[in-house]
Amino acid sequence: MHLLVAGKLHPSGEALLRSLPARGVSVDYVEEVSEPSYAPLIAKADALVIRTQPLSAATIAKATRLKVVSRHGVGYDSVDLAALNDRGIALTIVGDVNSVSVAEHAMMQLLAGAKRARQADLAVREPGGWGWRNKLEQQEISGKNLLILGYGRIGRHLARMAAGFGMQVRAFDPYLQRTGWPEGSVEPETDLHTGLRWADCLSVHVPRGEKPIIGEAEFAVMKGGMILSNTARGGVICEKALVGALISGKVAAAGIDVFDTEPPPADTPLLAQPNALLSPHIAGLTAECGERMALASIENALDYLAGTIDRHLIVNPDFAHV
């Protein structure tokens, strides 16, 4: 049995990899997070553990022995799922290991945006900047309206945190409105534009679709001075429209952890916006979460090969040879 691991893992994951030969599992470990770095090794792999780098149909075609792809996380938009389905290769995710970490990051972005944390830091560091404090740009979030797009585990954790700051919370999630709304005090918002007109703050927690859920039309209906957080995926918010909204003041501050292209090119307009607080797709990469994801992604691959996988962790059970 041969395991290919593509992307650097938490030290606990690396320790687990070192123990695998004693269990009859050989390992290739490629720390670089890119498709070309691991693709030459995929032909001999029975299982692949992969981080955020692409897995294309061309690479899958070379994987003649591959039975399972185990994502080091919960999203899989960079994986060609149709190509895996055509071959009967399973795709697994790690389950609920990062929801608290991501929700905390989103709460941090909302707070940093309201308190203008980036501008405040620069005011101290830059000569003559101290007087910025007298502009009174900082805001309180207590009593403000927060709209959460996507009310899964992350959204629910965020709602609990925001309630602790005295925010009024609504959520927009058409899927849950059809299948059953979770218990609790957060009410569903049935119309996105109505919710955006109501909101002072917005946090996005939905998967990437064929087009952005927040584009020009959505920015147009928002209140001026919106505080925005995106820890979901690049492409969920139209970057071009977001830049325009940051420049115009429609969005007063934005915390952005995910980008259309990762890492974003140096000439990406969003990088030049002083009211955008940016981070390198790290919302789910706390030390604690990184350890949980590393261990779970390895064990998922091994459990699948052993026939003991929790089927709820298989993205494509109807296609996979379980």
Side-chain angles (χ1 to χ4, degrees):
M1 186 186 304
H2 187 75
L3 175 66
L4 171 59
V5 179
K8 185 169 178 58
L9 300 181
H10 185 277
S12 293
E14 294 177 333
L16 177 55
L17 293 181
R18 290 192 293 271
S19 75
L20 292 183
R23 296 165 58 178
V25 180
S26 58
V27 178
D28 277 324
Y29 179 32
V30 181
E31 294 189 12
E32 182 181 338
V33 181
S34 73
E35 188 170 18
S37 68
Y38 74 84
L41 301 171
I42 202 165
K44 61 178 181 177
D46 297 294
L48 169 67
V49 172
I50 191 169
R51 292 211 29 201
T52 57
Q53 64 270 56
L55 174 59
S56 67
T59 298
I60 293 169
K62 301 174 184 176
T64 55
R65 295 173 46 175
L66 192 64
K67 301 174 183 65
V68 59
V69 175
S70 177
R71 266 284 293 119
H72 181 277
V74 295
Y76 48 88
D77 51 282
S78 61
V79 174
D80 193 322
L81 183 58
L84 293 182
N85 291 342
D86 288 343
R87 291 273 309 282
I89 299 170
L91 174 64
T92 67
I93 58 176
V94 295
D96 187 17
V97 299
N98 70 351
S99 58
V100 169
S101 296
V102 177
E104 286 184 350
H105 198 90
M107 193 71 237
M108 179 275 295
Q109 289 179 332
L110 294 172
L111 281 165
K115 300 302 181 182
R116 306 298 196 269
R118 184 171 184 231
Q119 294 92 324
D121 181 83
L122 291 173
V124 178
R125 297 176 188 274
E126 294 182 344
W130 191 264
W132 170 84
R133 63 193 292 272
N134 295 319
K135 294 183 178 180
L136 300 180
E137 292 184 9
Q138 290 195 98
Q139 298 173 274
E140 298 173 356
I141 63 169
S142 178
K144 297 297 194 301
N145 297 335
L146 170 63
L147 180 66
I148 299 174
L149 301 191
Y151 199 50
R153 289 186 292 259
I154 297 170
R156 290 173 222 172
H157 282 305
L158 177 60
R160 172 178 53 82
M161 296 173 190
F165 282 92
M167 302 189 80
Q168 309 301 315
V169 183
R170 295 180 186 174
F172 177 76
D173 193 318
Y175 174 77
L176 288 178
Q177 287 177 234
R178 294 192 304 270
T179 60
W181 196 256
E183 293 183 2
S185 61
V186 175
E187 297 182 358
E189 181 56 72
T190 59
D191 178 75
L192 176 57
H193 282 203
T194 300
L196 291 173
R197 293 187 185 97
W198 169 83
D200 302 299
C201 302
L202 173 69
S203 192
V204 181
H205 304 281
V206 295
R208 182 172 183 165
E210 294 182 0
K211 64 178 183 178
I213 190 172
I214 302 294
E216 295 280 1
E218 286 69 38
F219 283 113
V221 301
M222 293 179 187
K223 297 178 183 178
M226 174 72 77
I227 306 297
L228 184 150
S229 162
N230 185 12
T231 55
R233 281 292 187 270
V236 173
I237 298 175
C238 174
E239 279 191 10
K240 181 179 178 181
L242 173 59
V243 168
L246 286 165
I247 292 172
S248 72
K250 176 69 76 165
V251 173
I256 304 297
D257 187 54
V258 288
F259 304 87
D260 289 352
T261 301
E262 296 185 349
D267 61 352
T268 300
L270 188 56
L271 274 60
Q273 306 312 310
N275 47 347
L277 178 67
L278 311 178
S279 53
H281 203 152
I282 60 168
L285 286 181
T286 58
E288 298 87 348
C289 182
E291 180 175 21
R292 292 192 296 266
M293 287 196 293
L295 297 175
S297 59
I298 295 169
E299 293 294 354
N300 281 350
L302 300 179
D303 288 348
Y304 182 84
L305 294 176
T308 58
I309 187 74
D310 179 350
R311 287 183 62 90
H312 292 98
L313 300 177
I314 302 174
V315 173
N316 56 344
D318 293 336
F319 296 89
H321 300 312
V322 182

